[in-house]
Amino acid sequence: MLHCTRYLKESKMAAGSDVMLMTLSPLYYTLEDIQVHNMSNDTWLIIHDKVYDVTSFLEEHPGGEEVLLEQAGADATESFEDVGHSTDAREMLQQFCIGELHMMRTSLLSRGQNGTHPSNFDICRRFSLQ
Ligand code: HEM
């Protein structure tokens, strides 16, 4: 079973600082949110209801960037499985995971201040530690 670790790391990074950031995780993105990330400098994919930002992986993908760009902003589960990716490839997925697919049309959590990536400000509540 694959786990999405990137958004869990965010709450760990906050530990030990003078403020506590409480992450409302996991992050959910609607299909509408994901579809706009469909270009070579901003590429998201859905695989098994998890959302991956593969922008930094395009040039490194052994199968080439074209196949990833064809699926950009969409559900790539079938294509990913059709290739019969190795266990190594499945483990690599984790580092690109940014959240999970939400079935609702809109989600406040998925909106960043600039309408794209959510920031910590959007997803966290801030408490003073006294
Ligand atoms: C973040 C998502 C993905 C990761 C981490 C990934 C990783 C890899 C890796 C490591 C390989 C080398 C072979 C292996 O170890 O299985 C590979 C090959 C390949 N991948 Fe992906 N892949 C991803 C998504 C996709 C998608 C969505 C497609 C199809 C649209 C795709 C198509 C291919 C193809 C065609 C090959 C070449 C297979 C071959 O020449 O034998 N990959 N990928």
Side-chain angles (χ1 to χ4, degrees), residues 45 47 52 54 57 61-64 66-68 70-71 76-77 79-80 83-94 96:
L45 299 176
I47 299 175
Y52 299 92
V54 295
F57 181 62
H61 181 225
E66 279 308 309
V67 287
L68 298 184
E70 276 168 21
Q71 307 293 324
T77 308
S79 329
F80 182 82
V83 171
H85 280 94
S86 64
T87 308
D88 279 356
R90 289 163 195 278
E91 280 171 7
M92 283 174 78
L93 269 179
Q94 291 184 46
F96 305 111

Side-chain angles (χ1 to χ4, degrees), residues 39-43 45 53-69 92 96:
M39 48 204 92
S40 59
N41 61 354
D42 180 18
T43 314
L45 299 176
D53 181 346
V54 295
T55 314
S56 63
F57 181 62
L58 290 178
E59 287 181 12
E60 290 163 36
H61 181 225
E65 64 182 308
E66 279 308 309
V67 287
L68 298 184
L69 287 171
M92 283 174 78
F96 305 111

Side-chain angles (χ1 to χ4, degrees), residues 11 14 20-24 123-127:
S11 48
M20 184 170 74
L21 297 171
M22 190 173 75
T23 307
L24 303 175
I123 61 176
C124 302
R125 298 228 170 90
R126 195 171 160 168
F127 297 89

